[in-house]
Amino acid sequence: MTRAPLSSPTDERDANYLTFNNVGQVFNTQRGPFEALKEINLQVAQGEFICVIGHSGCGKSTLLNMVSGFLQPSSGSVTLKDVPIDRPGPDRMVVFQNYSLLPWKTVEQNVDLAVKAARPELDAAARAQTVDHHLEMVGLMEARHKRPDQISGGMRQRVAIAR
């Protein structure tokens, strides 16, 4: 695992932004239980950038699925700001390798779908402002009316990040 701090934590709360505490994951398979993770302990400070590197099947996606809230550990806990992660939430995101964009929708419409799902309380004007903000953040305002097949792979990845 490689770590590159973007800023140094100023207090204990910052140092324990994301915590894996004795995390284990066992999957039931046709051949019986498969232990994918065992006794994982990791603390990630707010603003810290880490890379999880390993061979196929070593548990990288399993860890990310726990952070996203898509998967609960069989043992131990995963917390964000000392609050257990027990379901997906708009404060965390996953960017899939295959972009997962709807090909018949524009860049703007793909991002809007996510905003509608994450922030259903927003009216149309506030939702449009949120979409614009995220498209500006990833530099895709000029491509807002294009469909995924009309933009490059890197631009598709940025749409996925904006979403």
Side-chain angles (χ1 to χ4, degrees), residues 52-117:
V52 180
I53 301 170
H55 59 82
S56 293
C58 74
K60 301 179 303 287
S61 293
T62 300
L63 286 174
L64 291 176
N65 283 330
M66 290 177 183
V67 173
S68 68
F70 295 144
L71 178 66
Q72 299 299 306
S74 301
S75 60
S77 64
V78 182
T79 60
L80 181 66
K81 300 181 196 174
D82 296 323
V83 176
I85 298 173
D86 59 4
R87 65 181 157 284
D91 57 339
R92 289 161 276 124
M93 70 175 215
V94 175
V95 178
F96 298 97
Q97 289 178 343
N98 65 355
Y99 320 120
S100 300
L101 302 177
L102 299 176
W104 60 90
K105 298 229 178 242
T106 66
V107 165
E108 180 178 48
Q109 291 167 333
N110 268 282
V111 175
D112 186 59
L113 282 173
V115 175
K116 281 181 189 175

Side-chain angles (χ1 to χ4, degrees), residues 41-54:
N41 291 290
L42 173 65
Q43 294 180 339
V44 181
Q46 187 168 3
E48 185 175 26
F49 178 85
I50 69 164
C51 294
V52 180
I53 301 170

Side-chain angles (χ1 to χ4, degrees), residues 141-157:
M141 288 298 286
E142 74 285 352
R144 70 183 308 128
H145 300 296
K146 294 183 178 183
R147 289 188 318 276
D149 67 345
Q150 297 173 309
I151 59 176
S152 71
M155 292 171 85
R156 290 179 198 160
Q157 193 66 274

